[in-house]
Each structure stands twice: as C-alpha cells, then as structure tokens.
C-alpha cells in the first residue's frame, strides 16, 4: 500500500516530468500562456496517461518486444482521439485554443516515456498510480509556469483581472518568457532538492 | 645561500590593472555622455540614470548574498551595467522602466549565468531587448532634444527613414545636428562627441582596442554606402553611422571583455558580424534600429568564433 502511494506521489515532486525528467517541454512551453489552457492540457494528458498506462501494462505480456513501440503508439493514439473528440464536444473553446497541441499529445514524450519505462515493466495497479501521479505532476508544473506567465504577461489569472494599474510585460507570453520561467522554476526545484539532502 | 628559488605556475607577468580599475575607468569614460544627456534632455534623464544604477547595485547585492558569494558590489561592474541600461532608454520613460531593466540585466542576464565573467550576453543589451519586447509603447516613444518643459514627442531619424523614407534635410537635420546629438534618441547615444571623448580615453589607456568598433562602423558604413541608396554606391554611410546607437554600441558594448572574442582575428569577425546584422535589421527588420540586437546575436556566436580562431601556439609551425 505504501509502495503504491509512493508511485503516485513520486510524479508530483521527486520525479516531476517537467522539472526533473524534463520531458514534454513542447506543450509545457507552448500552451502555458494562460492558466486555463495549462489546466485543460494537463487534464487531457493525465487522462491519456492513466488509460494508456492501464492498457499497456495489462497487455505487457502479449506485446512482442520488437514491435512494442508501434503498439504503444496505437494505444496512446486511441486515447488521444477520445480526448480530442470529448474536448471538441464539451469544451469547444478550450479545444480551439489548444489547437494542434491536443492531437500532439500522441507524441508527448512523457506518455511514451512512462509506457516504455514503467507501464511495460510493472503490474497494472502500480502503472495506474504512476500514470496518475505523472499526470498530476505534469498538470501542476504546467499550471505553475502558466500562473507566472499569465500574471506577468497579461495581469490576469483564469481571465480575471488581478493586477490592475499594471503594465504587463509582453515578453512573458512570448517564447522567451516561457523559457525563462521554466528555467527559473527548474532552478528553484533543484535548490529545494539540494537543501533537503 | 639566502636566495631562494621561487617556483610558481604561470602567468608570471602581472599587470597592475584590476577588473575593478577597468570598470571604473569605463564608467569615467561614459560620464561625459551623462553630462551631455542632462544638458540635452533635462534633469529627468539624470534621475533615470540614478534609478538604473541603484537598481543594478541593489539587485547585485541581494543576489550575491543569496548565492553566498564574496561581496563584489564595489568592483563597478554592477554600476557600469546600470549606467549602460539607462543609456539605452528613451529619455522620457517612466521611472520603473530602468528599475525593472537593471533588475533583469543583473538577475537574469548576469547572475543566472554565474555572475561576472560568465554571462553569454551583454547584460545591458539583454535588458534593452527585454524592455523593448515587453513594453514597446514606452521604449519607442522619443522626445525632441531641448524640450524640457513639456516633453514634445518626436521620432528618431532612423524611424523617419524607415517609416516615411525621409531624407536628412526633410527631417530638418544636418550632419552637424546628428554629430552633436541634436536629435531624438536614447539617453546615452545621441551625444557623439561626448562618447568619442570617452572612447579615446579608453583607447589611450588601452582598455579597449580599435578592432571591434572600427570594423563594426566601417562594415556598417560600407554596406549602407553600397546598398541603401537608389543606386549601388549611392547610399549615405555617414547618416547610418551617426544615427542610432552605433557609436555607443561599437565602442562601449561590443567591446565588453566577457562577451566579445579573445583573439584579434575573432574580434574582426565579430565586428563584421555586428555591422552586417545592424545593416540587415535596419533595412529589412521590424525595428528601425538594430545595433542592440546585432550585438546580442553576435554575443551568442562568440564561443564559436573563439573556437574557430585560436591563437597560434608559440613556436608552432603550420
């Protein structure tokens, strides 16, 4: 039980997919212009991670080793299609804003990485926990980047005006702002980790 | 047998000049431009310079304490960065612009890369790029010189050239106006004589060498003479060199020790690159002025240039 719990929590801080493993940076940089986009992206990726880990780990004994990567991609792509259609039906505005980055979840390194490194080698229950934890970690990382970028680049949070009488720094919603924010957050993450030792 | 053999590692010959001496000398060389700016744009520009320096020094102190490094605030490097940030601003920006700019220069462009000597990009120019992209509204609004009472907005000669394709007489300016700084522009870039006095001072002290600035200016002038006119060879090199931040950038920012190549050959490549990029950005880019971006882009190439132009090892024959 404790082990299962550890699989869940490791993705959030100790092995955070964005800040520690540094995977899945493309959506982390591109979608994090607003907190709403980031949360939407995070939930979509968590959904795919959860189910792809579930299916891949239950199929791990049947999938031949040589063609495992194409098999993973088929599984992941199916769930991404489900997410894409669900999002288009129930959150069309969000789907429009995330655009190409929803189908691109198929090639998200985190999902592929967890399938290859964890789900294909572990039992179903730990794999589900791993997928869930990584998904939550990804969502939190994305949201923290987006929080800083939306606040400084637009003066808003989730579309609400937070900072009035403030001249937003346009650079923060552009690519350099994303890279700087991510770099600083990784540095802070490392600092906390080193202090703990 | 009292004489002892002293064994030490190289280098064996030391200069008495220290980093902080050089920094303070560069600050001294930049001082005439500050006086000229106060004269041209009024006391407010002096306030902006002060805010900028204060912000740079405070940021540097805080970060050095946080990083638990030796306190080196008095080596002048933070003061110099703050000064250069202010020199790159239009004369009527709100006071928080230099404060944020100097904070960015020291915290992100300098200390995040490891402090003095480890920064890839010139901190002052990185701050200028940051401010220009973030707050273009303030960073592209210039005031006419000698209009101290209520700031009369005015466009820089380069802007007029780019947007309306005006000639120098149409702008109501002469070469002498450009040379003496009687034109709209950034705080520290307009007063060419003041900058040249400082440059000569640094050249005489051998703190900077002529390679980078001269090649930079000549390349820019030559390309403009060749291509910016109506016919090949009908351009105006003098206008290109005297406007914008060419003199300030070439002598004081492209020559920054940390972010320029080590060897003479490398410095020549660097100078040509700066001139070429400035020309390209001014002619085809989105901004009327390209000196700062040109130097920043070339800063990124410095490690490569240094690799491609290593000095010959003493005694080695090709």
């Amino acid at each position: 039980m404790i082990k299962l719990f550890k699989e869940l929590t490791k993705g959030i801080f100790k092995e955070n997919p964005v800040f520690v493993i540094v995977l899945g940076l493309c959506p982390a940089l591109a979608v994090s212009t607003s907190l709403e986009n980031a949360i939407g992206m995070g939930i979509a990726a968590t959904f795919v991670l959860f189910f792809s880990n579930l299916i891949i780990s239950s199929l791990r004994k049947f999938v031949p080793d040589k063609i495992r990567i194409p098999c993973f991609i088929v599984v992941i792509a199916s769930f991404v299609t489900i997410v894409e259609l669900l999002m288009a039906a129930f959150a069309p505005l969000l789907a429009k804003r995330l655009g190409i980055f929803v189908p691109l979840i198929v090639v998200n390194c985190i999902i592929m990485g967890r399938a290859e490194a964890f789900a294909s080698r572990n039992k179903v229950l730990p794999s589900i926990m791993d997928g869930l934890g990584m998904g939550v970690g990804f969502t939190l990382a994305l949201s923290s980047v987006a929080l800083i970028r939306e606040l400084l680049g637009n003066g808003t949070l989730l579309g609400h005006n937070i900072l009035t009488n403030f001249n937003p720094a346009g650079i923060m919603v552009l690519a350099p702002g994303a890279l700087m924010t991510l770099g600083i957050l990784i540095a802070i993450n490392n600092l906390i980790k080193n202090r703990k030792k | 047998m009292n004489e002892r053999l002293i064994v030490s590692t190289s280098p064996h010959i030391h200069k008495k000049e220290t980093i902080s001496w050089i920094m303070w000398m560069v600050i001294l060389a930049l001082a005439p431009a500050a006086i000229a700016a106060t004269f041209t744009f009024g006391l407010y520009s002096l306030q902006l310079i002060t805010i900028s320096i204060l912000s740079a020094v405070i940021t540097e102190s805080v970060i050095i304490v946080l990083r638990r490094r030796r306190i080196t605030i008095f080596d002048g490097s933070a003061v110099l960065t703050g000064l250069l940030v202010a020199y790159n601003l239009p004369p009527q920006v709100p006071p928080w612009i230099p404060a944020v700019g100097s904070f960015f220069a020291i915290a992100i462009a300098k200390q995040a890369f490891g402090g003095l000597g480890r920064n890839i990009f010139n901190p002052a120019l990185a701050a200028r790029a940051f401010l220009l992209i973030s707050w273009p509204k303030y960073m592209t609004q210039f005031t006419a010189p000698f209009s101290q009472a209520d700031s009369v907005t005015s466009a820089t000669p380069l802007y007029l050239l780019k947007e309306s394709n005006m000639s120098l007489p149409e702008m109501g300016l002469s070469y002498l106006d450009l040379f003496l700084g009687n034109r709209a522009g950034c705080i520290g870039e307009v007063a060419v004589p003041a900058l040249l006095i400082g440059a000569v001072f640094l050249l005489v002290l051998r703190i900077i060498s002529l390679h980078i600035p001269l090649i930079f200016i000549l390349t820019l002038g030559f390309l403009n003479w060749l291509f910016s006119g109506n016919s090949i060879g009908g351009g105006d090199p003098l206008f290109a060199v005297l406007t914008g931040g060419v003199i300030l950038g070439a002598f004081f920012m492209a020559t920054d020790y940390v972010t320029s190549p080590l060897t003479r050959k490398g410095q020549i490549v660097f100078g040509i690159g700066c001139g070429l990029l400035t020309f390209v950005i001014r002619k085809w880019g989105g901004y009327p002025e390209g000196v700062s971006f040109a130097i920043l882009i070339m800063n990124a190439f410095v490690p490569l240039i240094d690799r491609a132009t290593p000095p010959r090892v003493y005694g080695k024959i090709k």
Side-chain angles (χ1 to χ4, degrees), chain B residues 90-102:
Chain B
Q92 291 291 338
V93 291
W96 54 266
I97 288 256
V100 174
S102 286

Side-chain angles (χ1 to χ4, degrees), chain B residues 227-241:
Chain B
F227 295 119
S228 74
N230 296 322
S231 57
I232 296 272
D236 187 349
L238 212 53
F239 177 81
V241 169

Side-chain angles (χ1 to χ4, degrees), chain A:
Chain A
M1 204 54 215
I2 291 167
K3 224 184 144 223
L4 273 181
F5 187 68
K6 263 194 179 157
E7 300 296 0
L8 182 70
T9 53
K10 72 169 192 277
I12 293 165
F13 188 75
K14 215 178 98 213
E15 286 179 40
N16 187 297
V18 176
F19 293 150
V20 181
I21 315 177
V22 199
L23 284 179
L25 289 194
C26 172
L29 296 172
V31 179
S32 59
T33 47
S34 78
L35 192 54
E36 206 181 332
N37 286 0
I39 293 171
M41 184 68 189
I43 292 171
T46 309
F47 176 86
V48 177
L49 256 171
F50 180 87
F51 283 104
S52 68
N53 267 16
L54 169 77
I55 301 292
I56 286 164
S57 90
S58 34
L59 292 177
R60 69 185 187 281
K61 289 196 179 129
F62 306 103
V63 174
D65 210 35
K66 278 183 183 155
I67 54 154
R68 65 182 194 286
I69 303 275
C71 293
F72 295 166
I73 290 179
V74 170
V75 172
I76 295 167
S78 325
F79 285 108
V80 171
T81 314
I82 295 173
V83 164
E84 204 186 341
L85 293 174
L86 282 175
M87 202 184 264
F90 294 105
L93 272 176
L94 185 69
K96 208 173 177 190
R97 258 181 291 140
L98 291 179
I100 186 69
F101 291 101
V102 179
L104 275 182
I105 298 175
V106 178
V107 284
N108 189 319
C109 304
I110 300 167
I111 296 165
M112 229 21 229
R114 291 333 286 176
E116 171 71 8
F118 199 91
S120 62
R121 289 167 202 182
N122 287 285
K123 285 185 186 146
V124 176
L125 212 51
S127 295
I128 294 177
M129 287 306 196
D130 177 77
L132 208 57
M134 286 290 161
V136 172
F138 181 65
T139 312
L140 285 177
L142 229 63
S143 309
S144 47
V145 175
L147 184 101
I148 295 169
R149 287 182 70 192
E150 194 183 343
L151 198 63
L152 294 180
N154 249 336
T156 58
L157 271 186
L158 289 170
H160 300 289
N161 272 321
I162 300 289
L163 299 172
T164 44
N165 272 333
F166 170 75
N167 281 296
I171 200 169
M172 294 307 287
V173 288
L174 300 174
L179 290 163
M180 280 190 293
T181 313
L182 188 68
I184 290 167
L185 286 177
I186 291 177
I188 292 172
N189 197 51
N190 284 347
L191 190 75
I192 297 169
K193 250 170 105 182
N194 291 342
R195 287 269 161 86
K196 267 191 178 166
K197 269 177 197 165

Side-chain angles (χ1 to χ4, degrees), chain B residues 17 25 27 50 68 108 122 171 177 181 197 233 244-245 309 312:
Chain B
E17 287 95 336
M25 284 303 124
I27 293 164
T50 317
R68 304 196 187 105
I108 308 288
N122 184 315
M171 296 172 199
D177 286 327
I197 291 169
T309 58
R312 191 173 64 97

Side-chain angles (χ1 to χ4, degrees), chain B residues 21-38:
Chain B
W21 180 82
I22 290 172
M23 292 291 171
W24 288 111
M25 284 303 124
V26 178
I27 293 164
L28 193 64
L30 282 166
I35 297 164
T38 316

